């Protein structure tokens, strides 16, 4: 939990932040910051060639993700385990704790500078670029955009510890909206401008908005003094929170392995495959991962915060509380994942046809999206189970987790290389699914050991009752698509196909609600708990 000072300073901070409240704000953040690009992506894909879309969706995205993930992910994970508390009624304790946190948080910036330089030099060397080429200039501009974001990282870490969720909602939404607007204006008004430069300038807009948003809030409108926000006094710069710094090192080392697991398929795709297959994968990834980004990602973040803070105390009911919360979290992501796996494959072709046109739907994209629906459920399970493991594990257990990630990374890279040659973008999705399955098994073993002396958790309790009706509905809609949906007479047959799917979903939802009424009621009351 955080101190009460966050309450007094803002309407969105609070000492009693719980899973429903945190999830509500993170869901809203993801809905706006991912929903806006989704709508924008439906427009931009019709105005770009396959080669340009591969730059936008895969290559530049991979560059920015690698730089930012390696620079800040370990610090974010470690600092969210920190308990900012105040000793006494004054704000002195809060200021001291904030200063200690920021001393560690500011280390993300020099680390990020080194990572950015290394990434730019690597791309220049690998591609054999000259500084005069538009692609090289775009890489340098993207590097500058990353530096702008990293300048805001210490204040992002502080805001997350103070549970200033509304601040993140506003800043990330504004940054996303401005990026989309700038990209649209440049594509329409400057058609002669290289698309690589267009994408780079829009990324600078995003980074600048993040920087101005967090700096504007804490520097201009907060009560913290400059000595707290910028704790760089001579003689005190080395006075770090040593346990927190050690945890940052552990999580940062782990982030290298997690990056390979998270973005390894794009690395292999850029290395081995054609721009067309890169574009297909980018299209499917942005569409198929929409549920992941809108629901599972904020839920994973809020679950991690809740698990970490529930595990920080020594009260006698700790395992009972953790078991109940883990059961609810896994049951919810399983329920959503089962809906996707039941109806996603049956409507993949129709969705791509509606959003992007027949150019994409009649190619490999529809089949790739069907496979992605199967990937979603294992991705959801892995995110929540790993969030629990990282929140409650000891330092030694985290080190063993790092070792296991190294093994999974090697297996994952081998699978990617083998499957991309035989199945293209679909092979990458299958490799991802196998990788997630291995990680779920590892997390499940950890969870079973953690609760071995307690009856407060069982994996059997995580499976939603009535889920078999979802699977039956999925089979029925899939068969109907195969025998009835006509690509040449799409609109009239699609209407019947969609109506049948809605009827099946309604029946399955009713059955699950009757069998899981207490759990569904708890989910519906999320907003009441939050407010």
């Amino acid at each position: 939990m955080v101190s009460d000072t966050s309450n007094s300073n803002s309407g969105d901070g609070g000492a009693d932040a719980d899973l429903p409240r945190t999830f509500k704000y993170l869901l809203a953040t993801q809905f706006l910051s991912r929903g806006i690009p989704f709508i924008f992506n439906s427009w931009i894909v019709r105005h770009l060639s396959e080669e340009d879309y591969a730059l936008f969706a895969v290559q530049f995205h991979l560059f920015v993700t690698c730089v930012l993930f390696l620079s800040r992910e370990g610090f974010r994970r470690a600092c969210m385990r920190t308990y900012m508390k105040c000793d006494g009624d004054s704000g002195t304790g809060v200021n001291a704790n904030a200063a200690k946190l920021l001393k560690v948080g500011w280390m993300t910036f020099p680390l990020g500078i080194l990572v950015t330089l290394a990434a730019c030099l690597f791309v220049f060397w690998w591609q054999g670029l000259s500084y005069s080429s538009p692609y090289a200039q775009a890489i340098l501009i993207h590097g500058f955009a990353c530096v702008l974001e990293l300048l805001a990282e210490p204040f992002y870490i502080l805001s997350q510890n103070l549970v200033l969720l509304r601040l993140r909602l506003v800043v990330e939404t504004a940054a996303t909206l401005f990026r989309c607007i700038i990209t649209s204006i440049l594509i329409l008004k400057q058609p002669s401008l290289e698309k690589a430069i267009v994408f780079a300038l829009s990324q600078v807009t995003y980074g600048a908005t993040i920087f101005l948003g967090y700096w504007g809030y804490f520097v201009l409108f907060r009560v913290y003094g400059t000595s707290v926000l910028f704790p760089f006094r001579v003689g005190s710069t080395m006075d770090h929170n040593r346990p927190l710094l050690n945890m940052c090192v552990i999580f940062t080392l782990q982030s290298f392995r997690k990056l390979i697991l998270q973005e390894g398929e794009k690395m292999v795709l850029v290395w081995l495959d054609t721009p067309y297959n890169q574009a297909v994968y980018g299209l499917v990834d942005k569409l198929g991962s929409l549920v992941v980004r809108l629901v599972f990602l904020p839920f994973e973040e809020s679950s991690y915060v809740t698990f970490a803070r529930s595990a920080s105390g020594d009260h006698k009911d700790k395992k009972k509380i953790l078991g109940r919360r883990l059961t609810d979290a896994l049951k919810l992501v399983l329920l959503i994942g089962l809906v996707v796996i039941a109806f996603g494959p049956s409507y993949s072709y129709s969705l791509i046809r509606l959003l992007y046109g027949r150019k994409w739907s009649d190619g490999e994209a529809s089949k790739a999206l069907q496979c992605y629906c199967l990937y979603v459920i294992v991705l959801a399970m892995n995110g929540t189970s790993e969030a629990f493991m990282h929140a409650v594990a000891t330092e030694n257990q985290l080190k063993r987790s790092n070792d296991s990630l190294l093994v999974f990374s090697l297996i994952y890279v081998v699978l990617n290389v083998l499957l991309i040659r035989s199945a293209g973008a679909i092979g990458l999705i299958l490799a991802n699914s196998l990788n997630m399955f291995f990680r779920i098994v590892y997390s499940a073993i950890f969870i079973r050991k953690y609760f071995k002396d307690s009856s407060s958790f069982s994996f059997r309790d995580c499976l939603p009752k009535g889920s078999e009706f979802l699977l039956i509905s999925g089979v029925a809609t899939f068969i109907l698509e195969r025998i009835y949906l006509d690509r040449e007479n799409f609109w009239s047959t699609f209407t019947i196909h969609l109506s049948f799917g809605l009827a099946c979903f309604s029946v399955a939802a009713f059955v699950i609600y009757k069998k899981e009424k207490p759990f569904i009621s708890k989910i519906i009351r999320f907003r009441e708990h939050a407010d």
Side-chain angles (χ1 to χ4, degrees), residues 129-377:
L129 301 175
S130 65
Y131 290 101
S132 60
S133 72
Y135 190 91
Q137 294 169 7
I139 287 294
L140 293 175
I141 297 172
H142 273 94
F144 175 68
C146 292
V147 171
L148 284 176
E149 270 198 74
L150 290 169
L151 273 172
E153 187 60 26
F155 296 153
Y156 170 88
I157 290 173
L158 179 60
S159 71
Q160 290 297 99
N161 271 270
L162 296 176
V163 202
L164 301 177
L165 304 174
R166 195 176 301 160
L167 172 64
R168 179 179 174 183
L169 172 65
V170 172
V171 171
E172 291 191 9
T173 302
T176 302
L177 182 61
F178 290 150
R179 177 172 59 187
C180 293
I181 291 173
I182 292 298
T183 306
S184 303
I185 291 174
L186 291 176
I187 288 177
L188 293 176
K189 301 298 183 182
Q190 300 290 334
S192 61
L193 187 62
E194 289 286 344
K195 295 299 186 292
I197 303 298
V198 170
F199 304 144
L201 292 176
S202 66
Q203 189 63 34
V204 170
T205 303
Y206 182 89
T209 307
I210 295 291
F211 167 73
L212 293 173
Y214 282 104
W215 276 62
Y217 184 80
F218 282 101
V219 176
L220 299 179
F221 303 114
R222 294 295 288 179
V223 297
Y224 292 111
T226 55
S227 61
V228 175
L229 298 176
F230 307 99
F232 308 134
R233 294 195 312 274
V234 177
S236 67
T237 53
M238 298 305 294
D239 182 24
H240 294 110
N241 184 332
R242 186 60 58 180
L244 176 59
L245 191 58
N246 290 339
M247 195 64 68
C248 288
V249 172
I250 291 173
F251 276 117
T252 299
L253 292 175
Q254 187 182 80
S255 69
F256 281 84
R257 297 159 189 177
K258 287 190 69 176
L259 179 66
I260 296 176
L261 293 170
Q262 179 175 306
E263 301 292 340
E265 77 279 6
K266 293 188 180 71
M267 297 176 187
V268 174
L269 196 63
V270 172
W271 176 32
L272 294 176
D273 219 338
T274 62
Y276 174 77
N277 279 339
Q278 292 177 29
V280 167
Y281 184 84
L283 184 81
V284 170
D285 182 58
K286 286 185 178 297
L287 179 58
S289 64
L290 192 64
V291 173
V292 178
R293 291 166 178 161
L294 290 183
V295 180
F296 294 147
L297 184 59
F299 191 78
E300 178 185 338
E301 290 186 34
S302 56
S303 296
Y304 176 79
V305 173
T306 303
F307 294 149
R309 290 174 179 170
S310 298
S312 62
D314 293 324
H315 46 89
K316 61 180 181 179
D317 293 330
K318 180 172 71 174
K319 284 195 174 182
K320 182 178 179 181
I321 295 172
L322 282 169
R324 185 177 70 249
R325 290 179 174 172
L326 178 60
T327 300
D328 289 345
L330 288 174
K331 182 179 288 188
L332 180 59
V333 296
L334 257 179
L335 183 59
I336 299 172
L338 286 170
V339 172
V340 174
I341 201 175
F343 296 99
S346 305
Y347 293 92
S348 296
Y349 173 85
S350 300
L351 185 59
I352 292 181
R353 176 81 176 260
L354 292 171
L355 291 175
Y356 308 123
R358 194 165 184 178
K359 167 189 172 182
W360 294 96
S361 63
D362 287 357
E364 190 182 1
S366 297
K367 295 177 181 178
L369 184 58
Q370 288 178 333
C371 295
Y372 204 101
C373 294
L374 306 178
Y375 170 57
V376 165
I377 191 168

Side-chain angles (χ1 to χ4, degrees), residues 265 412 415-416 419 426-436:
E265 77 279 6
Y412 178 54
L415 286 172
N416 272 320
L419 292 176
I426 294 175
L428 292 181
I429 297 171
L430 294 176
N432 266 324
S433 301
L434 290 172
N435 164 52
M436 289 298 164

Side-chain angles (χ1 to χ4, degrees), residues 371-428:
C371 295
Y372 204 101
C373 294
L374 306 178
Y375 170 57
V376 165
I377 191 168
V378 292
L379 192 66
M381 288 290 293
N382 175 72
T384 303
S385 58
E386 280 195 348
F388 178 85
M389 181 174 67
H390 292 158
V392 305
T394 63
E395 187 172 322
N396 288 332
Q397 289 170 331
L398 286 173
K399 289 179 180 178
R400 288 198 294 271
S401 173
N402 284 350
D403 295 335
S404 70
L405 279 178
L406 178 60
V407 176
F408 295 148
S409 300
L410 295 175
I411 296 173
Y412 178 54
V413 170
V414 172
L415 286 172
N416 272 320
V417 173
L418 293 176
L419 292 176
I420 194 175
R421 295 183 182 277
S422 60
I426 294 175
L428 292 181

